Amino acid sequence: MDDVPPLYIANIGMVTPIGANTAMSYAAFKAGISAYTESDFFTPENQRATLAHLPLDYFREHPETLYEADYFNEMYEHIIVMAMNALAEVLTDKEACLPLQSTFTFPEPISRIKQLAPQLFFQNILQQEKFQLPKELIRVYRTGRAGVLQAIELAHRYMESQENDYALIGASDSYFHLPLIQHLAEDSRVLTKTGKGGFAPGEGACFLLLTKNPDLAMQVNNAKIALHLPGISQEQGHFYSDTPYRGEGLDLAYKSALKHCPPQSINKIFSSMNGEDYWTKEFGVARMRNHAYFDENADTEHPADSLGDTGAAAGGILLGLAAMELFHQPQHSHYLVQSSSDGPSRAAVVLERKTMA
């Protein structure tokens, strides 16, 4: 096992289609509640897209006035409002942790889609006095689903070299945008009532406050959750690559992450798989090649089955749900969270339950 000290989860802020905060999202997830619904968005084949989105009233009830610039749409509003509410939860009663190094993850660039620019996002977030996030300490990843897990490594490096006790990581993302839905549908990637093999576009936000000091960690059921160094890799045969897929990217991420736990110790996996065949094949390769680290009864959770694919927010939501589950499962010790982007980025991280003496 590696001797690098872990980080600890100090707090979680989450908004999902099945819950307005972390506790509600976790409870609904455990109850098997699904947000899947036939939307008013149509694919180019005139089929209704199956989406998982928050109630639209959730956004109408938001009190703050948003800065909308010259171009603005509902997807932008959803991303910003969800981020504000998730940040408000994660930073509750945490004034002493500021100034705060923070890493925000955004979707991977798509050439034909005008995505929310980080500048417009931060223009809205930083105008809120309750979020004291110094611009010079903000970092941005544009690597999609794997980005929040990748940011754990940056938080490790930051807190090794600085006296600050905390770092913030997370993302907010949404597919609630007709041009984006139609772009994905052109590649048969959107789930419809008659179509198979696609995914349900979702939305959500999750931010995690991390600390190097176990005394500052979040405590639930006499336990704390440690995050070990993530395994980070690249898949040359990624979803949009012409290079043959060999299953090496996620496998290498697993191998790097699993150095931080004993053999047969992983009790559960939380995966970003969204129902598309590609991800199932990738997961199967990584799971098989690293079988020695998994408990024989280890099962796999793929929350996209109820939340939809939450894009760049997926890594954070997986971490948040996995941590909540590990808090409530005293018979378990280690979980593995893995998230894969459409592009080459792959990441995995081990969560460890530390029972207090």
Side-chain angles (χ1 to χ4, degrees), residues 114-324:
K114 194 167 185 179
Q115 296 166 311
L116 174 62
Q119 294 89 336
L120 180 56
F121 175 83
F122 290 120
Q123 200 162 357
N124 277 282
I125 297 298
L126 299 181
Q127 74 176 349
Q128 307 297 318
E129 293 184 2
K130 57 188 173 184
F131 304 138
Q132 299 298 314
L133 302 174
K135 291 182 180 179
E136 66 274 13
L137 295 181
I138 293 175
R139 300 293 179 268
V140 169
Y141 284 175
R142 299 202 66 170
T143 51
R145 294 187 203 92
V148 177
L149 272 60
Q150 292 173 319
I152 298 170
E153 193 268 340
L154 180 60
H156 266 276
R157 286 193 282 115
Y158 171 75
M159 282 188 278
E160 281 180 359
S161 61
Q162 303 292 328
E163 294 183 359
N164 299 59
D165 283 321
Y166 295 98
L168 179 73
I169 64 172
S172 181
D173 199 6
S174 175
Y175 287 93
F176 200 83
H177 188 44
L178 179 59
L180 179 55
I181 298 297
Q182 292 191 326
H183 169 77
L184 293 165
E186 288 173 2
D187 293 325
S188 300
R189 297 192 64 188
V190 175
L191 183 66
T192 64
K193 190 172 183 179
T194 58
K196 305 297 182 183
F199 70 89
E203 61 185 359
C206 188
F207 292 90
L208 296 99
L209 192 64
L210 307 182
T211 180
K212 62 185 178 182
N213 185 349
D215 293 336
L216 300 175
M218 182 179 179
Q219 300 178 26
V220 179
N221 293 335
N222 201 41
K224 303 175 182 180
I225 304 299
L227 296 180
H228 293 281
L229 275 173
I232 298 171
S233 188
Q234 301 281 300
E235 174 56 63
Q236 297 305 312
H238 59 80
F239 202 97
Y240 287 114
S241 173
D242 293 328
T243 302
Y245 168 72
R246 304 186 188 281
E248 296 173 353
L250 189 60
D251 172 42
L252 291 174
Y254 268 41
K255 284 179 166 56
S256 181
L258 290 167
K259 292 187 299 185
H260 307 292
C261 62
Q264 297 183 314
S265 63
I266 299 296
N267 305 113
K268 187 171 288 192
I269 305 165
F270 278 73
S271 169
S272 62
M273 290 187 291
N274 62 12
E276 294 179 292
D277 291 341
Y278 176 95
W279 312 114
T280 305
K281 178 181 177 182
E282 175 187 62
F283 169 78
V285 171
R287 176 73 168 78
M288 179 182 64
R289 291 180 182 175
N290 297 279
H291 66 91
Y293 286 94
F294 296 94
D295 171 35
E296 62 180 14
N297 297 314
D299 58 6
T300 303
E301 301 278 9
H302 21 88
D305 283 354
S306 57
L307 305 175
D309 187 325
T310 51
I317 290 172
L318 290 169
L319 285 170
L321 292 176
M324 293 299 292

